[in-house]
Amino acid sequence: MGRPPCCDKIGVKKGPWTPEEDIILVSYIQQNGPGNWRSVPTNTGLMRCSKSCRLRWTNYLRPGIKRGNFTDQEDNMIIHLQALLGNRWAAIASYLPQRTDNDIKNYWNTHLKKKLSSNSDQENHHHHHGASTSSSSSGATTIAKGQWERKLQTDIHKAKQALTEALSLDNKSTTSWQQHQQPPQTTTIPPIHHQPVVLPPPPVNFTATTYALSAENIARMLPNWLKNSPKSSQTSSESLGPLNHQFPSPPASDHGFKNYSNSEVSETTSFFQDESKPEMPSLSFLEKCLVDDAAAQGHEGLMNMCLEENDDLF
DNA sequence: AAGCTGCTCAACCGCATGGAC
DNA sequence: CGTCCATGCGGTTGAGCAGCT
């Protein structure tokens, strides 16, 4: 069919967002909740298209977004989720609620892809001197189907294993899955770990180039942005953790919100999930793979872990 | 110091999807 | 059932920056 782009209109501003625009957008969402993006430019007077507003919010202004410094654990999760799910960044991002799909996509394209390809180069180099089973080698076409299938199975198995490791690490560390992340499509309320509020870093100058780092600045400019939260569960000063649990209570109209609970954590989480984390292959599917795998290998610990989690879920 | 190059990441674009009419 | 519309997603772009020559 081919629809005209939504942003073709004359007078629609493009390019980097200014602090003023951010404030307007945040204020509006603070009052009305995210969603109904079509009405945002009209109601706020922002000369931006609805898409741009949504993107700015989901990729940048949304509370709880962690920027930069991907941990090894996150690396592993992304790598192996990518192996399992492909380039479905939104789905992958739903397992890392502190990261946006855009961030993950960028990180994958700029770091992990290189990392992996250099690794596989090394692997190929090794294989070159031994029995080659790599499908990415130049001899891939000569690999027998059975070999290829075994290779595929091995890859899937590796991905499962790494995901298992990532999950169990998370379980031990009490920081990510239990504390900040909620497996999608669940209504569980993870345990809340009350920790001291960490003040944001010193003010960031509003230059055109540094402004992009400034969700913190939004917090500064909008006292109400922080006001509603007496506590935080984040300690990392580099993260925007303090914002994570400080999103105000949902408006009475409940616009764009579906699943609020009493828990501030689940409030934030459902907020993410409902607003910007769409349907995806559920974790339980992945967990099922892991459980199946664990069962096949007699990994009682993992099975218990998964079952316990599932018990919590239902 | 100046110019070049490569990298990063915020933002844009176009297509897909799903709901409303 | 077909069309329209709003939203979501993934690929791509380009401005700004850092490092190198």
Side-chain angles (χ1 to χ4, degrees), chain A residues 84-133:
Chain A
L84 284 172
L85 302 172
N87 290 0
R88 297 171 60 191
W89 306 115
I92 293 170
S94 64
Y95 291 94
L96 296 150
Q98 290 181 301
R99 304 289 187 181
T100 68
D101 53 357
N102 209 33
D103 258 357
I104 293 174
K105 183 171 60 180
N106 281 335
Y107 187 62
W108 172 266
N109 286 330
T110 56
H111 293 92
L112 296 180
K113 215 152 79 171
K114 287 176 197 164
K115 191 171 156 186
L116 283 184
S117 66
S118 69
N119 282 352
S120 72
D121 280 352
Q122 285 180 355
E123 222 170 279
N124 285 343
H125 187 69
H126 281 300
H127 285 168
H128 194 68
H129 299 290
S132 174
T133 55

Side-chain angles (χ1 to χ4, degrees), chain A residues 300-313:
Chain A
E300 285 183 21
L302 172 62
M303 286 186 69
N304 289 341
M305 181 190 99
C306 294
L307 292 173
E308 275 168 23
E309 276 181 13
N310 285 333
D311 280 345
D312 286 340
L313 307 185

Side-chain angles (χ1 to χ4, degrees), chain A residues 134-268:
Chain A
S134 168
S135 60
S136 60
S137 72
S138 58
T141 51
T142 64
I143 295 173
K145 190 187 171 212
Q147 278 178 310
W148 183 84
E149 280 174 354
R150 272 196 297 278
K151 160 76 176 148
L152 187 64
Q153 287 219 327
T154 310
D155 286 347
I156 291 170
H157 179 69
K158 279 183 189 168
K160 283 182 188 175
Q161 261 188 332
L163 184 59
T164 304
E165 283 163 23
L167 286 170
S168 50
L169 275 176
D170 276 354
N171 243 20
K172 285 173 200 155
S173 69
T174 75
T175 49
S176 18
W177 282 103
Q178 288 293 318
Q179 192 173 342
H180 301 300
Q181 304 178 8
Q182 202 175 354
Q185 297 181 335
T186 71
T187 54
T188 337
I189 300 167
I192 303 168
H193 301 264
H194 296 302
Q195 290 176 6
V197 173
V198 174
L199 292 174
V204 178
N205 291 330
F206 283 143
T207 64
T209 53
T210 59
Y211 174 66
L213 292 171
S214 62
E216 292 133 24
N217 291 322
I218 299 296
R220 291 172 190 285
M221 292 180 286
L222 274 180
N224 286 342
W225 186 243
L226 292 170
K227 194 174 71 179
N228 289 348
S229 173
K231 49 195 179 255
S232 164
S233 65
Q234 286 246 9
T235 54
S236 168
S237 60
E238 66 151 43
S239 78
L240 298 177
L243 297 179
N244 196 17
H245 303 300
Q246 285 149 0
F247 201 79
S249 299
S253 62
D254 199 24
H255 204 93
F257 297 83
K258 293 170 198 158
N259 274 335
Y260 278 94
S261 79
N262 291 333
S263 156
E264 61 179 13
V265 171
S266 64
E267 190 176 289
T268 309

